[in-house]
Amino acid sequence: MSSNQTDVVFFDENGLRTDQRKPDEIRPMKIKIGVLSRANGSCYLEWGANKILAAVYGPREAHPRRIQLANRAVIRYRYNMQSFSVEDRARPGPSRRSSEISKVSREAFEPVLFPEDYPKAAIDIFVEVLQADAGTRTAAINAASLALVDAGIPMRGLVSACAAGKVDGKIVLDLNKPEDNYGDADLPIAMTEDGKITLIQMDGHLTPSEFEEAMDLVQKGCRQVLEIQKAALLEKFASVMDDDDEEV
Ligand code: UDP
């Protein structure tokens, strides 16, 4: 057994983590697409104990009018953590943390969208964290990506997100809560289907070689997430595709 100064035991005698995962394993993910009838697109996603709801509206006329851009759509992304989503009640309303996450998540989607095709319009992405257990920004991006597809918004491809980190001197994939709280580093990224990184953040310290190892691992994590996202889309839209085939 190994632990750090906080007395958290991160690995058992078989090298498995606190939730019995291998170092390079992501938490189980469950996805349901199209769960809200008012939104143009929506997705409910569970990743480990994280529970996320994403809703997408647009492209629609941007309001208030003063935010309209003459030659492109504005993209808005709001990440919000419900008060009841965490152990200690989260203060309602925007915070520095949620504003930062909203900004970097919006930027993670800009390269895959076609805002120049929708002057004066808005594409609105809302994500609500209903239950948080580390990795909510990456879980939210994965849900938002599918809600955008559900809304029928043209995209160059999906965006998939995952984090890697360092606990007890080892590089691991998709940190859980104790690993996030008491580990040494957290490296969330978002990636397009063709491997372009559209979000990268880092909390804590990694040596250059640890950083390389973590980047390698986290990109593998994103590719695993992409397969799960694609499977969820196929499950949701396979019947629609079958209907289309019949019509031809
Ligand atoms: N957290 C919390 N209260 C807060 C912010 C975060 O309890 O106000 C918890 C929550 O479980 C979250 C985790 O700490 O998932 C890690 O937060 P971080 O800021 O690293 O973002 P995340 O990993 O969720 O993207």
Side-chain angles (χ1 to χ4, degrees):
M1 299 247 178
S2 52
S3 65
N4 70 356
Q5 317 82 306
T6 58
D7 291 335
V8 177
V9 177
F10 288 116
F11 298 99
D12 69 11
E13 49 282 357
N14 302 315
L16 297 179
R17 294 152 71 182
T18 52
D19 47 14
Q20 299 298 299
R21 278 184 294 151
K22 296 189 199 104
D24 62 351
E25 213 181 321
I26 61 170
R27 290 172 285 185
M29 190 180 283
K30 280 196 236 159
I31 294 171
K32 195 154 170 39
I33 298 169
V35 290
L36 301 172
S37 56
R38 293 208 197 291
N40 297 126
S42 58
C43 176
Y44 172 72
L45 183 145
E46 292 183 1
W47 197 359
N50 290 306
K51 297 186 177 185
I52 311 283
L53 189 58
V56 166
Y57 287 83
R60 59 181 178 182
E61 191 180 357
H63 281 287
R65 285 235 170 103
R66 65 185 149 74
I67 69 156
Q68 290 183 355
L69 300 174
N71 57 354
R72 51 161 288 167
V74 287
I75 299 163
R76 292 183 287 195
Y77 187 109
R78 194 191 71 174
Y79 164 102
N80 182 48
M81 192 171 237
Q82 288 292 338
S83 306
F84 54 81
S85 66
V86 290
E87 230 164 290
D88 302 318
R89 173 180 178 273
R91 201 191 155 110
S95 62
R96 279 184 64 164
R97 177 179 174 276
S98 68
S99 303
E100 173 199 310
I101 294 175
S102 298
K103 177 187 183 288
V104 295
S105 304
R106 171 174 52 74
E107 290 168 355
F109 282 101
E110 293 220 340
V112 299
L113 295 169
F114 297 91
E116 58 285 357
D117 289 351
Y118 310 101
K120 300 185 176 178
I123 295 172
D124 286 314
I125 306 164
F126 299 91
V127 293
E128 292 292 331
V129 178
L130 307 178
Q131 186 168 287
D133 200 55
T136 58
R137 77 194 63 200
T138 48
I141 287 170
N142 294 327
S145 194
L146 294 169
L148 280 161
V149 177
D150 188 38
I153 295 181
M155 291 162 82
R156 293 186 171 85
L158 290 167
V159 176
S160 311
C162 192
K166 180 179 159 189
V167 287
D168 211 4
K170 288 196 185 70
I171 302 298
V172 296
L173 191 58
D174 182 25
L175 303 183
N176 62 29
K177 189 83 188 325
E179 291 169 343
D180 188 299
N181 281 13
Y182 305 113
D184 305 315
D186 181 16
L187 176 71
I189 74 157
M191 199 170 94
T192 61
E193 281 188 48
D194 56 357
K196 291 196 181 74
I197 290 168
T198 59
L199 174 150
I200 181 163
Q201 297 189 285
M202 193 166 103
D203 196 13
H205 297 281
L206 294 173
T207 65
S209 69
E210 286 169 345
F211 179 74
E212 262 180 50
E213 188 186 338
M215 280 303 291
D216 221 40
L217 189 61
V218 75
Q219 289 174 74
K220 286 189 185 130
C222 285
R223 284 192 280 274
Q224 287 177 49
V225 170
L226 175 62
E227 291 312 311
I228 299 169
Q229 289 172 306
K230 283 184 178 170
L233 283 169
L234 210 58
E235 192 189 336
K236 166 80 180 165
F237 294 111
S239 58
V240 179
M241 284 153 63
D242 288 349
D243 291 351
D244 284 354
D245 287 349
E246 279 164 24
E247 277 168 27
V248 173

